[in-house]
Amino acid sequence: MALHRLIRPIALLLSWLAAAPVHAAHAPHSQPEIQVGILLFDGVQIVDFAAPYEVFGQAGFGVSTVSAHGKAVTTAMGLKVTPDASFADAPRFDVLLVPGGDVEHAERDPVLLDFVRTRSGQAKQVLSVCTGASILAATGLLDGLKATTFHNALKPMAAAYPKVTVVDDVRWADNGKIVTSAGLSSGIDAALHTIAKLRDEEAARAVALHLEYDWDPKGGFVRARMADRHLPELRNVAWPKDMKLQRLISVGDVESWRKRYRITSATPPDALLALMHDDLVAEGWQPGAAEGGHAWQKRIDGRMGRLTFATRPANDGAGYTLETAIRIE
């Protein structure tokens, strides 16, 4: 056969192979070398389990989901998901993944905790995502280890589980067998990290590239390090009973952050801001110079933190907006 007749079919074949997706090894006749078990429970966060499911599946791992009774669970967003197995008939797992979400009931469920504890002992790797770290902590498996979790859950977890060293400066914390990852999308990074540990970094990079995901093996973005971690907590303010609050925006970076709320209340803006005074002083803030007197400052990690509050009427005339801004200088 002439050479030019071979070139086009070969080129088409190579093009097809390059573009062909890597399918999850979940077909009935596949027997993947590595099996992943994903815990499901009522209140589980969708991205916490679905994103790692995709990552592990694209790596060619076998993936199955499991709940206490094998019945459908309702996620934190209301999606109903039917697992593959119950605790009683769950297959063996080389990797156990514990997602987060609304975990208040799960971290106090003795049957669920016993399952996690037992299967963690049998697994090669254990991975938690987001507040799934609190479930692992409740089993005692994180005692004496470093762990991270969703940025808003760091302080509550540290208070609830004092034997765990809770860290806020990593996207995932690797203790060898047990890896905990921060919030939501960080489960993708930690799943890729787990693939790198069980295979190699090139295998993980290949999956990330196929998923068109910008994976940083060194960790990258850490949500808990953003400037809003320095905003006052204002836990003891006697807010007006008629106040309704709607968050409009919450944006920023490591140096500055802005939050804007829509407020409806019979309490006028200046009176509302005055309610915060004692709490701000108790948290170490001192009045600063600004028009309207709604500026505060304090030293934060050796630098000056400047906090301001501003109000203005809502565009539709109903209530007003309150904007809080902080800058670390």
Side-chain angles (χ1 to χ4, degrees), residues 183-253:
L184 304 165
S185 67
S186 67
I188 299 174
D189 300 77
L192 289 165
H193 176 71
T194 302
I195 292 169
K197 293 182 69 175
L198 293 173
R199 289 190 172 166
D200 54 48
E201 189 173 303
E202 281 198 337
R205 286 186 179 277
V207 173
L209 287 168
H210 176 73
L211 294 172
E212 301 188 26
Y213 186 72
D214 185 15
W215 179 52
D216 182 354
K218 296 181 180 179
F221 172 80
V222 180
R223 173 64 181 85
R225 304 306 292 174
M226 301 294 106
D228 62 331
R229 66 195 170 109
H230 300 302
L231 286 169
E233 297 185 0
L234 301 174
R235 292 182 176 179
N236 300 311
V237 176
W239 300 111
K241 293 182 179 180
D242 70 334
M243 186 177 77
K244 294 182 180 179
L245 182 145
Q246 176 190 5
R247 190 177 71 180
L248 301 177
I249 63 166
S250 182
V251 294
D253 52 34

Side-chain angles (χ1 to χ4, degrees), residues 109-178:
D109 182 341
V111 175
L112 183 148
L113 296 180
D114 185 62
F115 177 82
V116 171
R117 195 179 293 110
T118 300
R119 288 309 187 98
S120 294
Q122 301 168 355
K124 297 177 181 177
Q125 290 288 149
V126 178
L127 169 62
S128 72
V129 181
C130 196
T131 51
S134 290
I135 296 177
L136 284 184
T139 67
L141 292 171
L142 293 181
D143 287 358
L145 303 181
K146 291 183 178 180
T148 192
T149 186
F150 180 59
H151 66 280
N152 281 344
L154 289 163
K155 290 182 179 179
M157 180 176 170
Y161 302 103
K163 293 182 180 180
V164 182
T165 301
V166 179
V167 294
D168 65 1
D169 58 349
V170 294
R171 195 156 171 79
W172 65 84
D174 188 339
N175 292 284
K177 180 174 181 176
I178 299 179

Side-chain angles (χ1 to χ4, degrees), residues 14-323:
L14 291 175
S15 174
W16 179 84
L17 288 173
V22 183
H23 295 290
H26 201 53
H29 299 295
S30 66
Q31 294 296 328
E33 178 185 356
I34 299 175
Q35 296 287 339
V36 179
I38 298 179
L39 178 69
L40 296 183
F41 50 87
D42 285 329
V44 68
Q45 197 75 36
I46 297 170
V47 70
D48 286 10
F49 73 85
Y53 189 120
E54 184 76 19
V55 172
F56 286 128
Q58 294 290 354
F61 292 8
V63 186
S64 58
T65 53
V66 58
S67 70
H69 302 292
K71 298 178 181 178
V73 301
T74 303
T75 71
M77 299 296 287
L79 176 71
K80 292 189 180 299
V81 180
T82 302
D84 298 309
S86 68
F87 288 173
D89 58 12
R92 71 168 183 87
F93 303 137
D94 300 293
V95 179
L96 175 65
L97 184 136
V98 181
D102 298 331
V103 300
E104 184 176 355
H105 176 72
E107 66 180 310
R108 290 168 174 77
D109 182 341
V111 175
L112 183 148
L113 296 180
D114 185 62
F115 177 82
V116 171
R117 195 179 293 110
T118 300
R119 288 309 187 98
S120 294
Q122 301 168 355
K124 297 177 181 177
Q125 290 288 149
V126 178
L127 169 62
S128 72
V129 181
C130 196
T131 51
S134 290
I135 296 177
L136 284 184
T139 67
L141 292 171
L142 293 181
D143 287 358
L145 303 181
K146 291 183 178 180
T148 192
T149 186
F150 180 59
H151 66 280
N152 281 344
L154 289 163
K155 290 182 179 179
M157 180 176 170
Y161 302 103
K163 293 182 180 180
V164 182
T165 301
V166 179
V167 294
D168 65 1
D169 58 349
V170 294
R171 195 156 171 79
W172 65 84
D174 188 339
N175 292 284
K177 180 174 181 176
I178 299 179
V179 176
T180 58
S181 60
L184 304 165
S185 67
S186 67
I188 299 174
D189 300 77
L192 289 165
H193 176 71
T194 302
I195 292 169
K197 293 182 69 175
L198 293 173
R199 289 190 172 166
D200 54 48
E201 189 173 303
E202 281 198 337
R205 286 186 179 277
V207 173
L209 287 168
H210 176 73
L211 294 172
E212 301 188 26
Y213 186 72
D214 185 15
W215 179 52
D216 182 354
K218 296 181 180 179
F221 172 80
V222 180
R223 173 64 181 85
R225 304 306 292 174
M226 301 294 106
D228 62 331
R229 66 195 170 109
H230 300 302
L231 286 169
E233 297 185 0
L234 301 174
R235 292 182 176 179
N236 300 311
V237 176
W239 300 111
K241 293 182 179 180
D242 70 334
M243 186 177 77
K244 294 182 180 179
L245 182 145
Q246 176 190 5
R247 190 177 71 180
L248 301 177
I249 63 166
S250 182
V251 294
D253 52 34
V254 296
E255 301 290 336
S256 62
W257 202 272
R258 291 186 301 120
K259 287 188 176 184
R260 186 183 304 148
Y261 300 92
R262 179 191 182 96
I263 294 175
T264 54
S265 172
T267 303
D270 283 349
L272 185 76
L273 292 172
L275 293 174
M276 306 180 195
H277 181 277
D278 290 348
D279 254 29
L280 288 167
V281 172
E283 292 187 38
W285 291 93
Q286 299 176 349
E291 185 178 350
H294 300 308
W296 299 78
Q297 62 186 30
K298 78 172 181 178
R299 302 295 295 182
I300 298 174
D301 298 334
R303 302 169 65 186
M304 183 58 71
R306 303 193 184 278
L307 175 69
T308 59
F309 298 94
T311 62
R312 64 182 59 187
N315 292 334
D316 59 5
Y320 50 92
T321 62
L322 168 65
E323 182 159 316

